[in-house]
Amino acid sequence: MKSLVVFYSRTGTTKKVAEAIAEKIGAEIEEIKDTVDRTGAKGYLISGRDAMKKRLTKLEPFWHDLSDYDLVVIGTPIWGWNMSVPARAFITEQKEKFKNVAFFCTMGGSGGQRAFSGMEEIIGKKPLATLALTTKEVVSGDISGKIDSFIGSLGG
Ligand SMILES: Cc1cc2nc3c(=O)[nH]c(=O)nc-3n(C[C@H](O)[C@H](O)[C@H](O)COP(=O)(O)O)c2cc1C
């Protein structure tokens, strides 16, 4: 199965998981990049507010053509009990191009399932697998078992 891992990460946690998944399944990987500066306290505030309001954002160009891939694995941090604003913008822009999808997120502690439901709703496809990890789990480095079981559900 030709696979691509796509992720947004503001502070590197989701990126770490994306890289681990891509390496284990031998997938290509591309980061979703936002044109909005989300650094610092101001960035945190606008990001939380915009995520809760389900706003979109202008993204930088994305280079891979999703229709070339049998599976796209999408990763996002949780913001305001939702997917991040750049992840919402990305899947909204690309929603016609997905074949099979799987979702993962990193979060302080809650909102993962709600975000996954929102992603499924926009794309209109049930994910083959989902994986919600806490920031603490990712930072402690003890995620390989959960990643392996996520990958086990992807099939092919
Ligand atoms: C604006 C903002 C809102 C957040 N809201 C939530 C939330 O609702 N629930 C939660 O568990 N974590 C929340 N977090 C924590 C992040 O989901 C968590 O730190 C995540 O691992 C960050 O991923 P990243 O390093 O890839 O950006 C929030 C973080 C930010 C910046």
Side-chain angles (χ1 to χ4, degrees), residues 17 21 103-106 116 129-133 143 146-147 149-150:
V17 180
I21 293 171
F103 306 146
F104 69 94
C105 71
T106 73
F116 294 153
T130 61
L131 173 65
L133 295 168
I143 53 171
K146 286 188 177 177
I147 288 184
S149 91
F150 173 73

Side-chain angles (χ1 to χ4, degrees), residues 3-7 14-23 26-32 62-64 69 73 104:
S3 307
L4 177 70
V5 175
V6 173
F7 68 97
T14 312
K15 180 176 187 173
K16 197 172 161 191
V17 180
E19 288 174 345
I21 293 171
E23 196 187 326
E28 292 171 50
I29 184 166
E30 185 169 346
E31 184 168 1
I32 299 165
F62 189 81
W63 300 108
H64 287 82
Y69 294 87
V73 180
F104 69 94

Side-chain angles (χ1 to χ4, degrees), residues 9-15 44 47-48 77-81 106-110 135:
S9 185
R10 176 175 170 267
T11 48
T13 316
T14 312
K15 180 176 187 173
Y44 188 105
S47 298
I78 298 303
W79 289 357
W81 300 278
T106 73
M107 59 188 181
S110 63
T135 316

Side-chain angles (χ1 to χ4, degrees), residues 95-106:
K95 64 182 174 190
E96 309 298 341
K97 292 192 183 162
F98 296 100
K99 292 177 189 157
N100 294 292
V101 289
F103 306 146
F104 69 94
C105 71
T106 73

